[in-house]
Amino acid sequence: MIQKNRFLLLMKSSYLRHRMEIIVRVVFVLTLLNFGFVNSQIYDVLKFGAEGDGTTDDSKAFVAAWKAMCSSGGSNKTLLIPSDNTFLLQPLVFQGPCNSPSVQVQLDGKIVAPLNKAAWSGLKSYEWVSFHKIIGLTVLGSGTINGRGSSFWEANMPASKRPTVSTYNFSIKLTSNSATKSSWRKQLHFKGCNNLEINGITSFDSPRNHISIRDCRQVKITQIKLIAPGDSPNTDGIDISTSTNVEIYDTIVGTGDDCVALNSGSININITRMQCGPGHGISVGSLGRDGEESIVENVQVTNCTFSETTNGARIKTWPNGKGYARNIVFKDITLTETKNPIIIDQHYMDKGHIHVEESSAVAISNVIFTDIHGTSQKDEIIKIDCSGVTSCKDIVLDRIDITTVDGNKPIIECSNAYGKSTNTYDGCLKTK
């Protein structure tokens, strides 16, 4: 009798354990399903009415998909722009903040702008695709975005009136069609987007600059390509302003203007392993236009190549500006037939501006040019033209090895510049 009871108890215990295992497994599966369908939900723009035929305006479907994703809770939300489709978009904005702590735009298909300037709606926005006040945003994928900018270039439309791929404050609904001058500059524009990552995408033929980063913190840009003809006007690759802690690495930029332009408020910027060309090189500035106060500091440009660019490593400021540009390093730079390899220009002015007497200048200090080698199209390989009001201080020219393509002796010019140099360039910079 005792043995029988023990057997029954063992059988009951085994049954309970088996039943508990089943319950645990069911709970585990339900948890996975909940995570997959709630926390990692995918919002495919095709399911929100996008046609993806390259001719139908899919802007409203994109905005509807974005609103649904942005307003939902949980994490790991993805807006999917699927491959094997071409989506025509008019100017629109992806507006934040979102309820999810991290959102993703998966660009695998193609996005195209209207066919020509006449087909654009809302040209007064001067922006095309905008992301505004989104925290934890990632834009990634193998897809492309084509601004079809040639009709703007050929019409000689002023750069300030061309739309860009942007993250500023226009919407399809959305907001007013009016725009201020501060919103005139962007194909993908990101404003107020902290913890931002852009990875893998390709941008073609922006009417103006390809990517604009403004008022952003903690930004990573990698494995992207930005492409436009070398004679396409004002088609900057990446413009940065009032943003901090920006990393750009392993990128290819070939356009008709600066590969990267660092405007006022660019702080803690690291650019490495960029292939730049055609274009105007990597520029700090222009700064101090119309007497404004500008600041740029803690910039490192390392292990980059410039191929047949108008400039290489450049700092440019307007006369009568205020503020400072300091702690800037250009290191391990390879040049191939660059026209102006190393240049500091404190007398920079756009065409049409009249020279005025200088009473102030952006203060430039602690700038290092080191390990720069290659070939120059011009005989003048270094030009450091600083303001007579403030001068440039603590400039370093170190291990510079640049030859001219025609075999002529390189020319070095320094004006109002203090620091130290090595190699054959001793005496160009003044010593204190």
Side-chain angles (χ1 to χ4, degrees):
M1 188 69 179
I2 294 174
Q3 290 181 346
K4 183 177 181 180
N5 288 337
R6 286 179 179 175
F7 175 77
L8 291 174
L9 287 172
L10 289 172
M11 290 293 293
K12 186 175 181 180
S13 175
S14 177
Y15 169 76
L16 291 174
R17 283 198 304 272
H18 179 68
R19 185 173 181 181
M20 182 60 66
E21 288 176 0
I22 293 174
I23 292 172
V24 169
R25 289 175 182 175
V26 169
V27 170
F28 179 72
V29 170
L30 290 174
T31 301
L32 288 179
L33 289 173
N34 179 70
F35 181 82
F37 289 106
V38 177
N39 288 337
S40 297
Q41 192 164 347
I42 295 174
Y43 295 78
D44 187 335
V45 294
L46 292 174
K47 295 181 179 180
F48 287 82
E51 296 291 337
D53 57 12
T55 57
T56 303
D57 181 3
D58 288 324
S59 306
K60 290 183 180 179
F62 271 58
V63 171
W66 174 264
K67 285 183 175 179
M69 181 188 73
C70 190
S71 62
S72 63
S75 59
N76 301 315
K77 304 294 183 180
T78 299
L79 178 75
L80 176 63
I81 304 168
S83 60
D84 302 319
N85 292 272
T86 301
F87 301 93
L88 172 66
L89 298 182
Q90 291 285 352
L92 56 82
V93 66
F94 296 115
Q95 180 69 46
C98 295
N99 289 331
S100 174
S102 61
V103 293
Q104 181 171 283
V105 175
Q106 181 76 36
L107 174 57
D108 292 330
K110 298 178 181 178
I111 294 175
V112 295
L115 189 60
N116 54 49
K117 180 165 62 70
W120 282 75
S121 67
L123 265 181
K124 290 183 179 179
S125 72
Y126 307 127
E127 295 176 348
W128 183 22
V129 180
S130 301
F131 295 86
H132 191 203
K133 292 186 177 179
I134 304 160
I135 308 302
L137 170 66
T138 299
V139 179
L140 79 164
S142 59
T144 63
I145 182 164
N146 192 327
R148 291 173 166 174
S150 60
S151 63
F152 293 90
W153 313 330
E154 294 163 2
N156 292 319
M157 176 178 282
S160 62
K161 294 188 177 181
R162 298 182 218 145
T164 68
V165 180
S166 160
T167 67
Y168 202 60
N169 212 1
F170 171 77
S171 67
I172 189 171
K173 31 182 192 261
L174 263 169
T175 60
S176 167
N177 281 335
S178 64
T180 64
K181 288 185 179 180
S182 63
S183 65
W184 282 2
R185 308 177 192 256
K186 306 95 196 171
Q187 182 154 283
L188 280 171
H189 177 69
F190 300 86
K191 183 177 189 299
C193 295
N194 297 342
N195 299 318
L196 167 67
E197 182 171 349
I198 306 171
N199 188 327
I201 65 172
T202 300
S203 173
F204 292 105
D205 295 346
S206 175
R208 196 176 178 184
N209 45 311
H210 288 253
I211 293 178
S212 174
I213 306 295
R214 182 178 180 188
D215 297 338
C216 297
R217 309 290 181 269
Q218 304 295 335
V219 179
K220 290 185 179 181
I221 302 175
T222 184
Q223 301 289 339
I224 67 168
K225 296 180 182 179
L226 308 177
I227 307 298
D231 60 354
S232 57
N234 303 107
T235 52
D236 289 359
I238 303 172
D239 276 9
I240 301 173
S241 60
T242 56
S243 296
T244 61
N245 299 319
V246 179
E247 295 184 39
I248 303 171
Y249 55 96
D250 298 325
T251 55
I252 298 173
V253 182
T255 67
D257 210 306
D258 295 329
C259 291
V260 180
L262 302 177
N263 302 297
S264 183
S266 298
I267 299 173
N268 298 337
I269 312 296
N270 186 3
I271 304 168
T272 188
R273 296 188 300 278
M274 173 176 285
Q275 298 179 39
C276 173
H280 292 182
I282 295 177
S283 296
V284 175
S286 62
L287 305 176
R289 180 170 181 161
D290 297 326
E292 73 178 3
E293 183 172 358
S294 301
I295 62 168
V296 171
E297 64 180 328
N298 302 336
V299 174
Q300 290 205 25
V301 180
T302 60
N303 196 17
C304 295
T305 62
F306 298 99
S307 300
E308 299 183 0
T309 52
T310 303
N311 306 288
R314 177 166 67 157
I315 301 173
K316 52 182 178 177
T317 70
W318 288 69
N320 297 311
K322 301 177 182 65
Y324 56 83
R326 65 192 184 194
N327 304 334
I328 299 166
V329 177
F330 290 93
K331 180 180 180 181
D332 193 12
I333 305 297
T334 301
L335 310 164
T336 302
E337 298 186 12
T338 298
K339 287 185 179 179
N340 300 288
I342 298 173
I343 181 168
I344 296 178
D345 181 5
Q346 289 218 268
H347 300 96
Y348 176 84
M349 287 191 294
D350 283 341
K351 294 179 181 178
H353 283 77
I354 300 174
H355 178 74
V356 295
E357 185 176 351
E358 186 179 30
S359 60
S360 64
V362 176
I364 295 177
S365 64
N366 194 19
V367 179
I368 299 173
F369 301 97
T370 184
D371 292 308
I372 299 179
H373 55 276
T375 57
S376 171
Q377 288 190 35
K378 296 170 64 175
D379 294 344
E380 187 175 61
I381 64 169
I382 298 173
K383 183 175 183 179
I384 300 179
D385 184 17
C386 299
S387 165
V389 177
T390 60
S391 302
C392 296
K393 299 178 176 65
D394 298 320
I395 309 300
V396 175
L397 297 172
D398 181 40
R399 296 194 295 275
I400 310 296
D401 184 12
I402 303 172
T403 59
T404 63
V405 294
D406 59 10
N408 291 339
K409 182 179 179 180
I411 297 173
I412 317 298
E413 180 182 334
C414 299
S415 177
N416 301 313
Y418 292 81
K420 62 181 180 179
S421 58
T422 60
N423 301 339
T424 60
Y425 310 132
D426 291 336
C428 180
L429 298 172
K430 299 177 182 179
T431 56
K432 295 181 179 178

